[in-house]
Every structure is written in structure tokens, then in C-alpha cells.
Amino acid sequence: MNKNLNKLCIIGNAPSRFIIGLMSGTSLDGLDIALCKINGSGLSTSLELLHFTTVPYTSFFQQQVKEVFALQHTSLEKVCLLNEWIGRFHGQLVLDSLKQWGVKPEEVDLIASHGQTIYHAPAWMHKDERFPHATLQIGDGDHLAHTTGIITIADFRQKHLAAGGEGAPLAVYGDHLIFSKKGENRIMLNIGGIANFTYLPGTTDVSKIFSTDTGPGNTLMDAYAQRFFNQSCDRDAAIALQGNCHEPLLKALMSHSFFSQSFPATTGPELFNLAYLRKAQEETGTTDISHQDVMRTLNRFTANTIALAMHRSCPVGEKMEVYASGGGMHNPLVMQQLKEMLPDCNFQTTEQLSVHPDAKEAVLFALLANETVAGNPDTYKGSGEGIPAICMGKICFPN
């Protein structure tokens, strides 16, 4: 047997695994690196987060990715170059973090790499009936594996597409494994560049589990802060709190058909970007309102769309425990508005569930990798719409 396959078999048959989860989101703020100890698999999974860091991206990295990010037309050569370069770059960041933690690479069983999304194209958005749902993440797994010397599992979203899903959200798989609790209705809310949530019923009935994107999380607010305030984001909602929500503009932003189509659905910055905002401003004659008013309206837009999706998707009148994660949970105005709009929900963070809220997405990809080598896709048989019973990711050996 090939020695790599033999090693993989040993890893899969072991009672526990040390797995690094990597997440690089659409906000392009940095690489989340989470070293986890994972015991068991399937519904018997337990997890301990041993180390976590976010390595901020340099302006050079951000600029290189922005040249190909969420653009219908771009340089194919640049996409090709970045695919390999990001894989190696992420690998070096892993090695640097392990050194800081005093962990040797040979002590790590697997790396689970999400890669860097550069384009997301569900069928409802590209509208070309000849083609299926599609998505593309770059940061090649073989380059990452060769750089670190650690078996890497990457490119998770393609199996989801192949099985009929839209490639997202994938958080539902890990949410179900480690966060479901009998007797407590839970919503695992992640407010990243795009916001999404997983509904976990207190009955633990797998057929009732539900996950969807809700619309923009931070992506529009971040883009606006970068364009007009030379800031990476509206930290602590400082800009938005200086303005007022403009109701006609908000109504125009809310008018897209995405918000009335059936869930689950996925979306991305390919739709919700500054061009989308500009069109809404032109339609409502609001191109001259203050930047602070625009930011306040965008902030409300994020809160409104999350609340709308929850109202549409979750049982009416039932108490919910909402566990928030992602960069948007640090925006006090977004969270205040959500609490006002969703009085039946008790808001907390995943810190209460022993998972650092900024680490949650990286942790979830570590869980997906664990299922790939030690789990069984039958765990998800009979699950809700958009949750195919699959194991995901391509296995990349170091040599």
C-alpha cells in the first residue's frame, strides 16, 4: 500500500485526530487558523480547540485577491498564479503559527483548508440554464500539503455542488454534529461577509435542520468603509451611529428577488457590492445623502435581512437560543437591532459553547475533514433540503 494511504488509514482509525482548520473569508481580513483535537466522528464527535489565531493579511495580499475577486471578467493568468501562490502562502502561515504554539508539524494529522473564494455562481444568479450551480475557491491543496508536510483536505464545496447543493452554507454539517441539543431550539448565526444561519431544532429531528444564507453581513459595510473612510470596516459601528437610516434607500436595497425566493439559498459579493448600492441610490435619488446615513442604512439592511430570513424559516412563536459568530457579531448596532427585531430570541455567542466565535468557521472545516477520514455520510440521511448526505474535500498528500 502507498505509505500516504497507509498513514491516512491509521489517522482515520485512531480514536482522535489533531486537525488544523483554515478559513479565509470574503472580508479578506486574514487567515483563521484553528488547531483542534477531535474525538470520534458523526454524532459521537467531541472537539477541543487547542490553539487559535487570525493572521492579518497584508495590503499586498488583499490587493492581489481583489484583482480577481467577485468579477465576471478578470485575468485567467492571475487566477492561475494566485491558485498556487495562496496555497504556498497559507502553508507558510500554518508553519509560522505552529512554531509560535510550540507544536511540531508532524504532531498534526490533517489540515482542512477552505481556500479563498473568488467567485460564487448559484444557478439562480447566473441564470444560464445550460449550466449548474458553481463556485470557485483558490489556494491549491497540494501546494499547501507540500509546503507543510501535512496531509491536506481542501476544496470542500465541490462535492456539495456535485450532490445537488449550491456549495454553501456548509456550516450546517459541523453545527449539527457538535451544537445540537435536545430540548433547546438553537440558531447558529454567522455574520461574515455574507450572513448565514443554521436552525437546530430541540427535537434533534435531522429532517428539520435548516441552513441558508440570509444576504449581506459585513460585505457592503466593509466595502463602503474602505471606499469612503479609508478604514477596513466600521469598527464598533462608529460611522453608522453618526447617521440616520434612510427608509426609501433601505426599501430599494430590500427589493431584490433573493429576499423572496425559497430558502435555502446562497449568495455573495458578486451580487451585494457597491454597484448594487449605487443602483439603489440612483433609483431613490439618494446619491447625495451623507456617507454616515448610507452606513447607517447598510447596517440596518444587514439586520433586516437576517431577521427576515429567521422569520421566514423558523417556527413561529417558539423560543430560540441564538449563538452568534463571525465579524458582524462585534458590531453593536447590528446586534442591538437584531435583539429588537427578534424578541423571542436569546442572543449569546459560541463562546458559551466552548468555541471561540471568531474561530467557529475554521473549526467547522476541521470537523468536515474529520468526517471525510473517519465519518460516514449516512449521518445526514434524511436531513433537510440542501443538506446532501456526503463527505467533502479532496485529499492532498505532501509527497
Side-chain angles (χ1 to χ4, degrees):
M1 178 183 286
N2 180 291
K3 66 176 183 180
N4 288 304
L5 288 175
N6 186 59
K7 182 177 181 180
L8 194 63
C9 288
I10 293 171
I11 291 170
N13 286 316
S16 63
R17 282 153 290 282
F18 293 91
I19 305 178
I20 288 177
L22 303 181
M23 181 65 198
S24 183
T26 56
S27 62
L28 295 176
D29 52 356
L31 180 67
D32 295 335
I33 306 176
L35 175 59
C36 309
K37 181 181 180 183
I38 303 180
N39 300 300
S41 64
L43 296 176
S44 63
T45 302
S46 63
L47 178 144
E48 181 183 359
L49 179 59
L50 303 177
H51 296 283
F52 172 70
T53 188
T54 298
V55 182
Y57 286 142
T58 63
S59 58
F60 176 77
F61 179 94
Q62 293 170 333
Q63 183 55 42
Q64 298 309 301
V65 175
K66 285 179 180 179
E67 289 182 16
V68 301
F69 177 66
L71 301 174
Q72 284 191 338
H73 305 286
T74 189
S75 164
L76 182 57
E77 178 182 69
K78 194 57 177 281
V79 171
C80 217
L81 295 173
L82 287 177
N83 186 40
E84 278 71 20
W85 178 71
I86 289 175
R88 295 183 184 190
F89 180 62
H90 282 179
Q92 189 57 54
L93 295 184
V94 168
L95 291 177
D96 293 344
S97 297
L98 289 175
K99 186 175 181 179
Q100 291 176 9
W101 297 334
V103 178
K104 297 177 182 178
E106 54 267 28
E107 296 178 87
V108 179
D109 294 307
L110 302 168
I111 293 173
S113 174
H114 169 266
Q116 180 63 59
T117 297
I118 60 168
Y119 206 84
H120 187 63
W124 71 265
M125 197 156 65
H126 68 65
K127 294 183 172 62
D128 190 329
E129 295 181 357
R130 298 170 300 174
F131 298 106
H133 302 303
T135 190
L136 181 61
Q137 289 71 41
I138 59 175
D140 182 71
D142 279 317
H143 284 76
L144 208 160
H146 188 74
T147 299
T148 60
I150 301 169
I151 296 173
T152 296
I153 301 179
D155 210 16
F156 289 89
R157 297 190 184 275
Q158 294 304 319
K159 182 65 72 62
H160 196 264
L161 291 168
E166 292 189 8
L170 299 188
V172 58
Y173 293 89
D175 284 343
H176 170 53
L177 293 183
I178 62 170
F179 293 129
S180 288
K181 182 181 179 182
K182 193 165 186 62
E184 182 175 288
N185 294 316
R186 290 181 169 181
I187 291 176
M188 310 306 299
L189 172 64
N190 182 70
I191 312 176
I194 296 297
N196 61 74
F197 71 84
T198 300
Y199 166 63
L200 300 172
T203 60
T204 65
D205 180 351
V206 70
S207 68
K208 297 294 192 295
I209 293 172
F210 180 84
S211 186
T212 190
D213 285 348
T214 66
N218 307 313
T219 189
L220 273 168
M221 292 186 287
D222 288 354
Y224 202 80
Q226 291 161 20
R227 174 74 62 86
F228 295 103
F229 293 91
N230 196 30
Q231 297 180 27
S232 61
C233 63
D234 183 16
R235 196 171 302 281
D236 297 323
I239 300 169
L241 287 168
Q242 297 175 44
N244 297 297
C245 179
H246 196 286
E247 292 298 332
L249 176 57
L250 177 63
K251 184 177 180 180
L253 292 169
M254 295 284 301
S255 66
H256 196 277
S257 60
F258 173 79
F259 301 112
S260 58
Q261 72 182 55
S262 60
F263 287 159
T266 62
T267 188
E270 297 78 10
L271 171 61
F272 295 112
N273 49 40
L274 292 182
Y276 180 87
L277 169 62
R278 182 71 182 183
K279 183 173 182 286
Q281 288 185 275
E282 290 172 351
E283 290 174 352
T284 54
T286 55
T287 55
D288 293 329
I289 66 174
S290 74
H291 293 315
Q292 289 80 4
D293 284 357
V294 173
M295 188 65 83
R296 183 66 175 252
T297 306
L298 292 176
N299 191 293
R300 181 61 178 267
F301 182 39
T302 289
N304 269 22
T305 52
I306 293 171
L308 174 65
M310 287 190 186
H311 281 306
R312 287 181 56 197
S313 309
C314 299
V316 178
E318 291 191 18
K319 291 291 184 182
M320 299 284 172
E321 295 294 325
V322 179
Y323 295 93
S325 61
M329 59 154 280
H330 299 294
N331 188 305
L333 184 57
V334 168
M335 299 310 296
Q336 174 192 325
Q337 292 173 124
L338 285 175
K339 291 173 184 177
E340 293 170 354
M341 294 177 196
L342 299 164
D344 290 330
C345 295
N346 178 40
F347 284 83
Q348 306 173 67
T349 76
T350 55
E351 193 78 61
Q352 278 68 49
L353 302 176
S354 300
V355 174
H356 191 298
D358 293 327
K360 178 175 176 272
E361 284 198 288
V363 166
L364 291 178
F365 279 95
L367 285 164
L368 289 182
N370 188 69
E371 287 300 295
T372 298
V373 300
N376 188 326
D378 289 346
T379 299
Y380 300 98
K381 283 275 177 69
S383 54
E385 184 181 351
I387 312 173
I390 51 173
C391 287
M392 289 165 276
K394 296 178 175 66
I395 298 171
C396 305
F397 294 126
N399 49 43

